[in-house]
Amino acid sequence: MTDTRTERVPPRSVPEAPGDAESGRGLLLVARLATAWGTDPRPTSPGKTVWAELSPRRCRTAKC
């Protein structure tokens, strides 16, 4: 995901959202599912790119 907001960079440690919160779980899901994730500045314009690396999981049951 890329955006032009330079003042808001995701924290490296993602806290859990309160149980009754209606938002705030996106990066928590990314952090739990990704093998690595981070941010990079956009080289040709303002903003940042948030990236994630995922590894395929092997099926451990016969119902895959």
Side-chain angles (χ1 to χ4, degrees):
M1 174 176 73
T2 299
D3 67 35
T4 58
R5 296 190 69 174
T6 57
E7 75 279 5
R8 294 193 63 194
V9 177
R12 291 300 307 157
S13 173
V14 183
E16 292 220 18
D20 60 347
E22 293 184 8
S23 64
R25 293 181 180 84
L27 283 178
L28 181 63
L29 291 170
V30 170
R32 294 232 173 122
L33 295 172
T35 55
W37 71 276
T39 62
D40 292 325
R42 293 175 66 186
T44 59
S45 59
K48 65 191 169 298
T49 298
V50 179
W51 55 268
E53 295 177 3
L54 302 172
S55 293
R57 293 185 179 194
R58 291 185 183 196
C59 178
R60 296 176 196 252
T61 68
K63 295 182 179 183
C64 292

Coordinates of all heavy atoms in Angstrom, one line a residue:
M1 N 0.8 -1.1 0.0 CA 0.0 0.0 0.0 C 0.9 1.2 0.0 O 1.9 1.3 0.7 CB -0.9 0.0 1.2 CG -1.7 1.2 1.4 SD -2.9 1.2 2.8 CE -1.7 1.4 4.1
T2 N 0.6 2.2 -0.8 CA 1.3 3.4 -0.9 C 0.4 4.6 -0.6 O -0.7 4.6 -1.1 CB 2.0 3.6 -2.3 OG1 2.9 2.5 -2.5 CG2 2.8 4.8 -2.4
D3 N 0.9 5.6 0.1 CA 0.1 6.8 0.3 C 1.0 8.0 0.4 O 2.3 7.9 0.5 CB -0.8 6.7 1.6 CG 0.0 6.6 2.9 OD1 1.0 7.3 3.0 OD2 -0.5 6.0 3.8
T4 N 0.5 9.2 0.4 CA 1.3 10.4 0.4 C 1.4 11.0 1.8 O 2.0 12.1 1.9 CB 0.6 11.5 -0.5 OG1 -0.7 11.7 -0.1 CG2 0.6 11.0 -2.0
R5 N 1.0 10.4 2.8 CA 1.1 11.0 4.2 C 2.5 10.6 4.7 O 2.8 9.5 5.0 CB 0.0 10.4 5.1 CG -1.3 10.9 4.6 CD -2.4 10.6 5.5 NE -2.2 11.5 6.7 CZ -3.1 11.5 7.7 NH1 -4.2 10.7 7.6 NH2 -2.9 12.2 8.7
T6 N 3.3 11.6 4.9 CA 4.6 11.4 5.5 C 4.7 11.5 7.0 O 5.6 11.0 7.6 CB 5.6 12.4 4.9 OG1 5.1 13.7 5.2 CG2 5.8 12.3 3.4
E7 N 3.7 12.1 7.6 CA 3.7 12.3 9.0 C 3.2 11.0 9.8 O 3.4 10.9 11.0 CB 2.9 13.5 9.4 CG 1.4 13.3 9.4 CD 0.7 13.5 8.0 OE1 1.5 13.6 7.0 OE2 -0.5 13.4 7.9
R8 N 2.6 10.1 9.1 CA 2.0 8.9 9.8 C 2.8 7.7 9.4 O 2.5 7.1 8.3 CB 0.5 8.8 9.6 CG -0.2 9.9 10.3 CD -1.7 9.7 10.3 NE -1.9 8.5 11.2 CZ -3.1 7.9 11.2 NH1 -4.1 8.3 10.5 NH2 -3.3 6.9 12.0
V9 N 3.7 7.2 10.1 CA 4.4 6.0 9.8 C 4.0 4.9 10.8 O 3.9 5.2 12.0 CB 6.0 6.2 9.9 CG1 6.7 4.9 9.7 CG2 6.4 7.2 8.9
P10 N 3.6 3.7 10.4 CA 3.2 2.7 11.3 C 4.3 2.3 12.4 O 5.4 2.3 12.0 CB 2.9 1.4 10.4 CG 2.8 2.0 9.1 CD 3.6 3.2 9.0
P11 N 3.9 2.1 13.6 CA 4.8 1.7 14.6 C 5.4 0.3 14.3 O 4.7 -0.6 13.8 CB 4.0 1.7 15.9 CG 2.6 1.5 15.5 CD 2.5 2.1 14.1
R12 N 6.6 0.0 14.7 CA 7.2 -1.3 14.5 C 6.5 -2.3 15.5 O 6.4 -3.5 15.1 CB 8.7 -1.3 14.8 CG 9.5 -0.6 13.8 CD 9.3 -1.1 12.3 NE 9.6 -2.5 12.3 CZ 9.2 -3.3 11.3 NH1 8.4 -2.9 10.4 NH2 9.5 -4.6 11.3
S13 N 6.1 -1.9 16.6 CA 5.4 -2.8 17.6 C 3.9 -2.4 17.5 O 3.5 -1.3 17.8 CB 5.9 -2.6 19.0 OG 5.2 -3.3 19.9
V14 N 3.1 -3.3 17.1 CA 1.7 -3.0 16.9 C 0.9 -3.4 18.1 O 0.8 -4.6 18.4 CB 1.1 -3.7 15.6 CG1 -0.3 -3.3 15.4 CG2 2.0 -3.3 14.4
P15 N 0.3 -2.5 18.9 CA -0.5 -2.9 20.0 C -1.9 -3.4 19.6 O -2.4 -3.1 18.6 CB -0.7 -1.5 20.8 CG -0.6 -0.5 19.7 CD 0.4 -1.0 18.7
E16 N -2.4 -4.2 20.5 CA -3.8 -4.8 20.2 C -4.8 -3.7 20.4 O -4.7 -2.9 21.4 CB -4.1 -5.9 21.1 CG -3.2 -7.1 20.8 CD -4.0 -8.4 20.9 OE1 -5.2 -8.4 20.8 OE2 -3.3 -9.5 20.9
A17 N -5.8 -3.6 19.6 CA -6.9 -2.7 19.7 C -7.8 -3.1 20.9 O -7.9 -4.4 21.1 CB -7.7 -2.6 18.4
P18 N -8.4 -2.2 21.6 CA -9.4 -2.6 22.6 C -10.4 -3.5 22.0 O -10.8 -3.4 20.8 CB -9.9 -1.3 23.1 CG -8.9 -0.3 22.7 CD -8.3 -0.8 21.5
G19 N -11.0 -4.4 22.8 CA -12.0 -5.4 22.3 C -13.2 -4.7 21.7 O -13.8 -5.3 20.8
D20 N -13.6 -3.5 22.1 CA -14.8 -2.9 21.6 C -14.5 -1.9 20.5 O -15.3 -1.2 20.0 CB -15.6 -2.2 22.7 CG -14.8 -1.1 23.4 OD1 -13.5 -1.1 23.2 OD2 -15.4 -0.4 24.2
A21 N -13.2 -1.8 20.1 CA -12.8 -0.8 19.0 C -13.3 -1.3 17.6 O -13.4 -2.5 17.4 CB -11.3 -0.7 18.9
E22 N -13.8 -0.3 16.8 CA -14.3 -0.6 15.5 C -13.2 -0.6 14.4 O -13.5 -0.9 13.3 CB -15.4 0.3 15.2 CG -16.6 0.1 16.0 CD -17.8 1.0 15.6 OE1 -17.7 1.7 14.6 OE2 -18.8 1.0 16.4
S23 N -12.0 -0.2 14.8 CA -10.9 -0.1 13.8 C -9.6 -0.4 14.6 O -9.6 -0.5 15.8 CB -10.9 1.2 13.1 OG -10.6 2.2 14.0
G24 N -8.5 -0.4 13.8 CA -7.2 -0.5 14.5 C -6.6 -1.9 14.5 O -5.7 -2.2 15.2
R25 N -7.1 -2.8 13.7 CA -6.6 -4.2 13.7 C -5.9 -4.5 12.4 O -5.3 -5.6 12.3 CB -7.8 -5.2 13.9 CG -8.3 -5.0 15.3 CD -9.5 -6.0 15.5 NE -10.0 -5.9 16.8 CZ -10.9 -5.0 17.2 NH1 -11.4 -4.2 16.3 NH2 -11.4 -5.0 18.4
G26 N -5.8 -3.6 11.4 CA -5.2 -4.0 10.1 C -3.8 -4.3 10.2 O -3.3 -5.4 9.8
L27 N -3.0 -3.5 10.9 CA -1.5 -3.8 11.0 C -1.3 -5.0 12.0 O -0.3 -5.7 11.8 CB -0.7 -2.6 11.4 CG -0.5 -1.6 10.3 CD1 0.3 -0.4 10.9 CD2 0.3 -2.2 9.2
L28 N -2.2 -5.1 12.9 CA -2.1 -6.3 13.8 C -2.2 -7.6 13.0 O -1.4 -8.5 13.2 CB -3.1 -6.2 14.9 CG -3.1 -7.4 15.9 CD1 -1.8 -7.4 16.7 CD2 -4.3 -7.2 16.8
L29 N -3.1 -7.6 12.1 CA -3.3 -8.8 11.2 C -2.1 -9.0 10.3 O -1.6 -10.1 10.2 CB -4.5 -8.7 10.3 CG -5.9 -8.8 11.1 CD1 -7.0 -8.4 10.1 CD2 -6.1 -10.2 11.6
V30 N -1.6 -7.9 9.8 CA -0.4 -8.0 8.9 C 0.8 -8.5 9.7 O 1.5 -9.4 9.3 CB 0.0 -6.6 8.3 CG1 1.3 -6.6 7.6 CG2 -1.1 -6.2 7.3
A31 N 1.0 -8.0 10.9 CA 2.1 -8.4 11.8 C 2.0 -9.9 12.1 O 3.1 -10.6 12.2 CB 2.2 -7.5 13.0
R32 N 0.8 -10.4 12.3 CA 0.7 -11.8 12.7 C 0.8 -12.7 11.6 O 1.2 -13.9 11.7 CB -0.7 -12.0 13.4 CG -0.7 -11.2 14.7 CD -1.1 -12.1 15.9 NE -1.0 -11.5 17.1 CZ -2.0 -11.3 18.0 NH1 -3.2 -11.7 17.7 NH2 -1.8 -10.7 19.1
L33 N 0.4 -12.3 10.4 CA 0.4 -13.2 9.2 C 1.7 -13.1 8.4 O 2.1 -14.1 7.7 CB -0.8 -12.9 8.3 CG -2.2 -13.2 8.9 CD1 -3.2 -12.6 8.0 CD2 -2.3 -14.6 9.2
A34 N 2.4 -12.0 8.4 CA 3.5 -11.8 7.6 C 4.8 -12.3 8.2 O 5.0 -12.3 9.4 CB 3.7 -10.3 7.3
T35 N 5.7 -12.8 7.4 CA 7.0 -13.2 7.9 C 7.9 -11.9 8.1 O 8.8 -12.0 8.9 CB 7.7 -14.1 6.9 OG1 7.8 -13.5 5.6 CG2 7.0 -15.4 6.8
A36 N 7.6 -10.9 7.4 CA 8.3 -9.6 7.5 C 7.4 -8.5 7.0 O 6.6 -8.7 6.1 CB 9.7 -9.6 6.8
W37 N 7.5 -7.3 7.5 CA 6.8 -6.1 7.0 C 7.5 -4.9 7.4 O 8.3 -4.9 8.4 CB 5.3 -6.1 7.4 CG 5.1 -5.8 8.9 CD1 5.1 -6.7 9.9 CD2 4.8 -4.5 9.4 NE1 4.9 -6.0 11.1 CE2 4.7 -4.7 10.8 CE3 4.7 -3.2 8.9 CZ2 4.4 -3.6 11.6 CZ3 4.4 -2.2 9.7 CH2 4.2 -2.4 11.1
G38 N 7.3 -3.8 6.7 CA 7.9 -2.5 7.1 C 7.4 -1.4 6.2 O 6.4 -1.5 5.4
T39 N 8.1 -0.3 6.2 CA 7.8 0.9 5.4 C 9.0 1.4 4.7 O 10.2 1.2 5.2 CB 7.2 2.0 6.2 OG1 8.2 2.5 7.2 CG2 6.0 1.6 7.0
D40 N 8.8 1.9 3.5 CA 9.9 2.5 2.7 C 9.4 3.9 2.2 O 8.2 4.0 1.9 CB 10.3 1.7 1.5 CG 11.0 0.4 1.9 OD1 11.7 0.4 2.9 OD2 10.7 -0.6 1.2
P41 N 10.3 4.9 2.3 CA 9.9 6.2 1.7 C 9.7 6.1 0.2 O 10.3 5.3 -0.5 CB 11.0 7.1 2.1 CG 12.2 6.3 2.3 CD 11.6 4.9 2.8
R42 N 8.8 6.9 -0.4 CA 8.6 6.9 -1.8 C 9.7 7.7 -2.4 O 9.9 8.9 -2.0 CB 7.3 7.5 -2.2 CG 6.1 6.6 -1.7 CD 4.8 7.2 -1.9 NE 4.5 7.4 -3.4 CZ 3.5 8.0 -3.9 NH1 2.6 8.5 -3.1 NH2 3.3 8.1 -5.1
P43 N 10.5 7.2 -3.3 CA 11.7 7.9 -3.8 C 11.4 9.1 -4.7 O 12.2 10.1 -4.8 CB 12.5 6.9 -4.6 CG 11.5 5.8 -5.0 CD 10.4 5.9 -3.9
T44 N 10.3 9.1 -5.4 CA 10.0 10.2 -6.4 C 8.9 11.2 -6.0 O 8.6 12.1 -6.7 CB 9.7 9.6 -7.7 OG1 8.5 8.8 -7.6 CG2 10.8 8.8 -8.3
S45 N 8.3 10.9 -4.8 CA 7.2 11.8 -4.4 C 7.0 11.6 -2.8 O 7.6 10.7 -2.3 CB 5.9 11.4 -5.1 OG 5.5 10.1 -4.8
P46 N 6.3 12.5 -2.2 CA 6.1 12.4 -0.8 C 5.3 11.2 -0.4 O 4.5 10.7 -1.2 CB 5.3 13.7 -0.4 CG 4.8 14.2 -1.6 CD 5.6 13.7 -2.8
G47 N 5.6 10.7 0.8 CA 4.8 9.5 1.3 C 5.6 8.3 1.6 O 6.8 8.4 1.7
K48 N 4.9 7.2 1.7 CA 5.6 5.9 2.0 C 4.9 4.8 1.4 O 3.7 4.9 1.0 CB 5.6 5.8 3.5 CG 4.2 5.6 4.1 CD 4.1 5.7 5.5 CE 2.7 5.8 6.0 NZ 1.9 7.0 5.6
T49 N 5.6 3.6 1.3 CA 5.0 2.4 0.9 C 5.1 1.4 2.1 O 6.2 1.2 2.7 CB 5.7 1.8 -0.3 OG1 5.6 2.7 -1.4 CG2 5.2 0.4 -0.7
V50 N 4.0 0.8 2.5 CA 4.0 -0.2 3.5 C 3.9 -1.5 2.8 O 3.1 -1.8 1.9 CB 2.7 -0.1 4.4 CG1 2.7 -1.2 5.4 CG2 2.7 1.3 5.1
W51 N 4.9 -2.4 3.1 CA 5.0 -3.7 2.4 C 5.0 -4.9 3.4 O 5.2 -4.7 4.6 CB 6.3 -3.8 1.6 CG 7.5 -3.5 2.4 CD1 8.1 -2.3 2.6 CD2 8.3 -4.4 3.2 NE1 9.2 -2.4 3.5 CE2 9.3 -3.7 3.8 CE3 8.2 -5.8 3.4 CZ2 10.2 -4.4 4.7 CZ3 9.1 -6.4 4.2 CH2 10.1 -5.7 4.8
A52 N 4.7 -6.0 2.9 CA 4.6 -7.3 3.7 C 5.1 -8.4 2.9 O 4.8 -8.5 1.7 CB 3.3 -7.5 4.3
E53 N 5.8 -9.4 3.5 CA 6.2 -10.6 2.9 C 5.4 -11.8 3.5 O 5.4 -11.9 4.8 CB 7.7 -10.9 3.0 CG 8.5 -9.9 2.3 CD 10.0 -10.1 2.5 OE1 10.4 -11.1 3.2 OE2 10.8 -9.3 2.1
L54 N 4.8 -12.6 2.7 CA 4.0 -13.7 3.2 C 4.6 -15.0 2.7 O 5.1 -15.1 1.6 CB 2.6 -13.7 2.8 CG 1.8 -12.4 3.2 CD1 0.5 -12.4 2.5 CD2 1.7 -12.3 4.7
S55 N 4.6 -16.1 3.5 CA 5.1 -17.4 3.1 C 3.9 -18.3 3.0 O 3.0 -18.3 4.0 CB 6.1 -18.0 4.1 OG 7.3 -17.2 4.0
P56 N 3.8 -19.1 2.0 CA 2.6 -20.1 2.0 C 2.8 -21.0 3.1 O 3.9 -21.5 3.4 CB 2.8 -20.7 0.6 CG 4.1 -20.4 0.1 CD 4.6 -19.2 0.9
R57 N 1.7 -21.4 3.7 CA 1.7 -22.4 4.8 C 1.3 -23.7 4.2 O 0.5 -23.8 3.4 CB 0.7 -22.0 5.9 CG 1.1 -20.7 6.6 CD 0.1 -20.4 7.7 NE 0.6 -19.2 8.4 CZ 0.1 -18.9 9.6 NH1 -0.8 -19.6 10.2 NH2 0.6 -17.8 10.1
R58 N 1.9 -24.7 4.8 CA 1.6 -26.1 4.4 C 0.3 -26.5 5.0 O 0.1 -26.2 6.2 CB 2.7 -27.0 4.7 CG 4.0 -26.8 3.9 CD 5.0 -27.8 4.2 NE 6.2 -27.5 3.5 CZ 7.2 -28.4 3.3 NH1 7.1 -29.6 3.9 NH2 8.2 -28.1 2.7
C59 N -0.4 -27.3 4.3 CA -1.6 -27.9 4.9 C -1.3 -29.0 5.9 O -0.5 -29.8 5.6 CB -2.5 -28.4 3.8 SG -4.0 -29.2 4.3
R60 N -1.9 -28.9 7.0 CA -1.6 -29.9 8.1 C -2.7 -30.9 8.3 O -2.7 -31.7 9.2 CB -1.2 -29.2 9.4 CG 0.1 -28.4 9.2 CD 0.4 -27.7 10.5 NE 1.4 -26.7 10.3 CZ 2.6 -26.7 10.7 NH1 3.0 -27.7 11.4 NH2 3.4 -25.7 10.4
T61 N -3.8 -30.7 7.5 CA -5.0 -31.6 7.7 C -5.4 -32.1 6.3 O -4.9 -31.6 5.3 CB -6.2 -30.9 8.3 OG1 -6.6 -29.9 7.4 CG2 -5.8 -30.2 9.6
A62 N -6.2 -33.1 6.3 CA -6.7 -33.7 5.1 C -7.8 -32.8 4.4 O -8.2 -33.1 3.3 CB -7.2 -35.1 5.3
K63 N -8.3 -31.8 5.1 CA -9.4 -31.0 4.6 C -8.9 -29.7 3.9 O -9.6 -28.7 3.9 CB -10.3 -30.6 5.7 CG -11.0 -31.8 6.3 CD -11.9 -31.3 7.4 CE -12.6 -32.5 8.0 NZ -13.6 -32.1 9.0
C64 N -7.7 -29.7 3.3 CA -7.2 -28.5 2.7 C -7.7 -28.2 1.3 O -7.9 -29.0 0.5 CB -5.7 -28.5 2.6 SG -5.0 -28.4 4.3

